[in-house]
Short mmCIF file of all heavy atoms in Angstrom, two decimals:
data_model
loop_
_atom_site.label_atom_id
_atom_site.label_comp_id
_atom_site.label_asym_id
_atom_site.label_seq_id
_atom_site.Cartn_x
_atom_site.Cartn_y
_atom_site.Cartn_z
N LEU A 4 1.81 2.05 -3.40
CA LEU A 4 0.69 2.58 -4.18
C LEU A 4 0.41 4.03 -3.86
O LEU A 4 0.07 4.82 -4.73
CB LEU A 4 -0.57 1.75 -3.90
CG LEU A 4 -0.57 0.34 -4.51
CD1 LEU A 4 -1.84 -0.39 -4.13
CD2 LEU A 4 -0.42 0.40 -6.02
N ILE A 5 0.56 4.40 -2.57
CA ILE A 5 0.32 5.80 -2.21
C ILE A 5 1.31 6.70 -2.92
O ILE A 5 0.96 7.73 -3.47
CB ILE A 5 0.40 6.01 -0.69
CG1 ILE A 5 -0.76 5.29 -0.01
CG2 ILE A 5 0.39 7.49 -0.35
CD1 ILE A 5 -0.70 5.33 1.50
N ARG A 6 2.58 6.25 -2.93
CA ARG A 6 3.58 7.11 -3.57
C ARG A 6 3.27 7.28 -5.06
O ARG A 6 3.31 8.37 -5.60
CB ARG A 6 4.99 6.55 -3.40
CG ARG A 6 6.02 7.31 -4.26
CD ARG A 6 7.43 6.96 -3.89
NE ARG A 6 7.72 5.56 -3.97
CZ ARG A 6 7.98 4.91 -5.13
NH1 ARG A 6 7.98 5.57 -6.27
NH2 ARG A 6 8.24 3.64 -5.12
N VAL A 7 2.94 6.16 -5.69
CA VAL A 7 2.81 6.23 -7.13
C VAL A 7 1.51 6.91 -7.55
O VAL A 7 1.48 7.69 -8.49
CB VAL A 7 2.92 4.82 -7.74
CG1 VAL A 7 2.86 4.89 -9.25
CG2 VAL A 7 4.23 4.17 -7.31
N THR A 8 0.44 6.63 -6.83
CA THR A 8 -0.84 7.23 -7.23
C THR A 8 -1.01 8.60 -6.62
O THR A 8 -1.77 9.42 -7.11
CB THR A 8 -2.04 6.38 -6.79
OG1 THR A 8 -2.03 6.30 -5.36
CG2 THR A 8 -1.99 5.00 -7.37
N GLY A 9 -0.30 8.84 -5.50
CA GLY A 9 -0.51 10.10 -4.79
C GLY A 9 -1.90 10.19 -4.20
O GLY A 9 -2.40 11.26 -3.90
N ASP A 10 -2.56 9.05 -4.06
CA ASP A 10 -3.95 9.08 -3.63
C ASP A 10 -4.18 7.97 -2.62
O ASP A 10 -4.12 6.79 -2.95
CB ASP A 10 -4.85 8.89 -4.86
CG ASP A 10 -6.32 9.09 -4.53
OD1 ASP A 10 -6.76 8.57 -3.49
OD2 ASP A 10 -7.00 9.76 -5.31
N TRP A 11 -4.45 8.38 -1.37
CA TRP A 11 -4.58 7.40 -0.29
C TRP A 11 -5.79 6.50 -0.50
O TRP A 11 -5.75 5.32 -0.22
CB TRP A 11 -4.70 8.11 1.05
CG TRP A 11 -3.41 8.69 1.48
CD1 TRP A 11 -2.67 9.63 0.81
CD2 TRP A 11 -2.67 8.37 2.66
NE1 TRP A 11 -1.53 9.89 1.51
CE2 TRP A 11 -1.51 9.16 2.64
CE3 TRP A 11 -2.88 7.49 3.73
CZ2 TRP A 11 -0.56 9.09 3.65
CZ3 TRP A 11 -1.94 7.44 4.74
CH2 TRP A 11 -0.78 8.23 4.69
N ASP A 12 -6.85 7.07 -0.99
CA ASP A 12 -8.06 6.27 -1.12
C ASP A 12 -7.91 5.21 -2.19
O ASP A 12 -8.27 4.06 -2.00
CB ASP A 12 -9.27 7.18 -1.40
CG ASP A 12 -9.61 8.01 -0.18
OD1 ASP A 12 -9.39 7.51 0.94
OD2 ASP A 12 -10.06 9.15 -0.34
N VAL A 13 -7.35 5.62 -3.33
CA VAL A 13 -7.12 4.65 -4.40
C VAL A 13 -6.21 3.54 -3.89
O VAL A 13 -6.46 2.35 -4.10
CB VAL A 13 -6.51 5.34 -5.64
CG1 VAL A 13 -5.95 4.31 -6.61
CG2 VAL A 13 -7.53 6.21 -6.33
N ALA A 14 -5.15 3.92 -3.17
CA ALA A 14 -4.20 2.93 -2.68
C ALA A 14 -4.88 1.97 -1.71
O ALA A 14 -4.69 0.75 -1.78
CB ALA A 14 -3.03 3.64 -2.00
N GLU A 15 -5.70 2.53 -0.82
CA GLU A 15 -6.37 1.68 0.17
C GLU A 15 -7.37 0.74 -0.48
O GLU A 15 -7.40 -0.46 -0.22
CB GLU A 15 -7.11 2.58 1.17
CG GLU A 15 -6.41 2.70 2.48
CD GLU A 15 -7.17 3.60 3.45
OE1 GLU A 15 -8.42 3.53 3.49
OE2 GLU A 15 -6.51 4.36 4.13
N GLU A 16 -8.19 1.31 -1.36
CA GLU A 16 -9.22 0.51 -2.03
C GLU A 16 -8.57 -0.60 -2.85
O GLU A 16 -9.04 -1.74 -2.85
CB GLU A 16 -10.04 1.38 -2.98
CG GLU A 16 -11.02 2.32 -2.29
CD GLU A 16 -11.51 3.41 -3.24
OE1 GLU A 16 -11.39 3.23 -4.47
OE2 GLU A 16 -12.00 4.44 -2.73
N SER A 17 -7.49 -0.26 -3.54
CA SER A 17 -6.86 -1.25 -4.41
C SER A 17 -6.21 -2.35 -3.61
O SER A 17 -6.24 -3.52 -3.99
CB SER A 17 -5.81 -0.58 -5.30
OG SER A 17 -6.36 0.55 -5.92
N THR A 18 -5.61 -1.98 -2.46
CA THR A 18 -4.99 -3.00 -1.62
C THR A 18 -6.06 -3.95 -1.10
O THR A 18 -5.91 -5.17 -1.16
CB THR A 18 -4.23 -2.34 -0.45
OG1 THR A 18 -3.35 -1.36 -1.00
CG2 THR A 18 -3.44 -3.35 0.33
N ALA A 19 -7.15 -3.37 -0.61
CA ALA A 19 -8.25 -4.20 -0.10
C ALA A 19 -8.80 -5.07 -1.24
O ALA A 19 -9.08 -6.25 -1.05
CB ALA A 19 -9.33 -3.31 0.48
N GLY A 20 -8.92 -4.47 -2.42
CA GLY A 20 -9.45 -5.20 -3.58
C GLY A 20 -8.57 -6.38 -3.95
O GLY A 20 -9.07 -7.46 -4.31
N ALA A 21 -7.27 -6.19 -3.83
CA ALA A 21 -6.35 -7.28 -4.17
C ALA A 21 -6.53 -8.45 -3.21
O ALA A 21 -6.51 -9.61 -3.62
CB ALA A 21 -4.91 -6.76 -4.12
N PHE A 22 -6.73 -8.13 -1.94
CA PHE A 22 -6.95 -9.20 -0.96
C PHE A 22 -8.27 -9.92 -1.23
O PHE A 22 -8.35 -11.15 -1.13
CB PHE A 22 -6.90 -8.64 0.47
CG PHE A 22 -5.50 -8.49 0.99
CD1 PHE A 22 -4.85 -7.26 0.93
CD2 PHE A 22 -4.83 -9.57 1.53
CE1 PHE A 22 -3.55 -7.12 1.39
CE2 PHE A 22 -3.53 -9.44 2.00
CZ PHE A 22 -2.88 -8.21 1.93
N GLU A 23 -9.28 -9.14 -1.60
CA GLU A 23 -10.57 -9.75 -1.93
C GLU A 23 -10.43 -10.70 -3.10
O GLU A 23 -10.93 -11.82 -3.11
CB GLU A 23 -11.60 -8.68 -2.29
CG GLU A 23 -12.33 -8.08 -1.10
CD GLU A 23 -13.09 -6.83 -1.50
OE1 GLU A 23 -13.61 -6.79 -2.64
OE2 GLU A 23 -13.15 -5.90 -0.67
#
Side-chain angles (χ1 to χ4, degrees):
Chain A
L4 288 178
I5 292 175
R6 170 168 56 80
V7 183
T8 62
D10 188 316
W11 287 59
D12 290 328
V13 166
E15 257 180 40
E16 286 164 19
S17 310
T18 308
F22 277 97
E23 274 167 35

